[in-house]
Amino acid sequence: MTRPKSENITNTVPKVARAERETILGQRGVTVWFTGLSASGKSTVALLVDKHLTERGHCCCILDGDNIRQGLNSDLGFNPEDRNENIRRIGEVSKLFCANGIICLTAFISPYRVDRDHNREIHESGDFIEVHLDCPLDVCEQRDPRGLYAKARSGAISEFTGISAPYEPPLSPELRLRTDRESPDESALRVVDYLANKGYLHCGAAVTAAAV
């Protein structure tokens, strides 16, 4: 873990314990990390999960790759170093939401396995769920809603994941969604069912590493 450059800092201890917040919210805080190629359906599925959970009375937040790069990470590009820093920052932000009892849904290509594994390591046991939207490259290219693959193929966009930059799929994700074979809502409901079955959506539920 990277040590902070500043020395004169201390941890702020909240007056409200995490368990108390989770009891009030009726859920356990967790980071649900959606990863996959561009156009695999990450944001679409995350938004639907948010909708389903909110309708059931749960408290969620969404961190989306495009939105985050318009503000918090507007200073970062797409070279490997900036991609590392982009995902590192999001890991730290999602950990803060999680520690406050929020279900944090993150939708990022996050192409490098080491970066995703690092974010899992900085979370408490059971606080990080990796969801791989496993959609073949050719299907993602056929969708290409913003024409990014076409631009990458023509050379107009450099360092584009899946074309001129690598994507390292998860080895053992908690969930693997074949978004080329099921509808976005079917994928979203699988995520909701997973959270419910593992106890994240029940007041004061204890989730152990073994259960996950």
Side-chain angles (χ1 to χ4, degrees), residues 18 21-22 25 27-31 59-63 68 72 89-106 123 127:
R18 173 177 173 174
R21 292 184 192 278
E22 292 178 331
L25 293 169
Q27 63 189 42
R28 168 168 173 166
V30 64
T31 293
C59 185
C60 308
C61 70
I62 294 180
L63 302 179
I68 290 295
L72 175 64
R89 292 181 190 178
I90 300 311
E92 295 290 347
V93 171
S94 64
K95 183 179 74 171
L96 292 174
F97 277 112
C98 177
N100 281 279
I102 308 300
I103 298 171
C104 186
L105 309 169
T106 75
H123 281 71
D127 281 0

Side-chain angles (χ1 to χ4, degrees), residues 140-170:
C140 292
E141 285 199 72
Q142 289 169 18
R143 294 173 177 173
D144 203 10
R146 293 176 292 173
L148 299 179
Y149 282 102
K151 291 180 180 179
R153 290 291 187 188
S154 70
I157 298 179
S158 60
E159 298 179 300
F160 190 80
T161 305
I163 304 300
S164 51
Y167 177 75
E168 300 171 356

Side-chain angles (χ1 to χ4, degrees), residues 34-45:
F34 295 92
T35 176
L37 294 170
S38 179
S40 61
K42 298 179 298 301
S43 295
T44 299
V45 173

Side-chain angles (χ1 to χ4, degrees), residues 6 8 29 32 46 54 59 71 81 85-86 89 100 108 117-118 121 124 126 137 139 142-143 148 154-155 199 210:
S6 301
N8 299 314
V32 183
T54 300
C59 185
E81 293 77 17
E85 177 61 13
N86 180 53
R89 292 181 190 178
N100 281 279
F108 295 84
D117 288 346
H118 168 75
E121 290 169 4
E124 297 294 329
L137 176 61
V139 174
Q142 289 169 18
R143 294 173 177 173
L148 299 179
S154 70

Side-chain angles (χ1 to χ4, degrees), residues 147-207:
L148 299 179
Y149 282 102
K151 291 180 180 179
R153 290 291 187 188
S154 70
I157 298 179
S158 60
E159 298 179 300
F160 190 80
T161 305
I163 304 300
S164 51
Y167 177 75
E168 300 171 356
L171 298 178
S172 301
E174 279 74 16
L175 274 175
R176 191 182 305 277
L177 306 177
R178 286 302 304 265
T179 52
D180 58 325
R181 299 178 181 176
E182 58 190 20
S183 71
D185 206 52
E186 288 172 331
S187 292
L189 287 173
R190 285 184 59 199
V191 177
V192 172
D193 288 344
Y194 180 91
L195 293 173
N197 293 335
K198 295 297 183 180
Y200 290 94
L201 307 184
H202 299 288
C203 183
V207 181

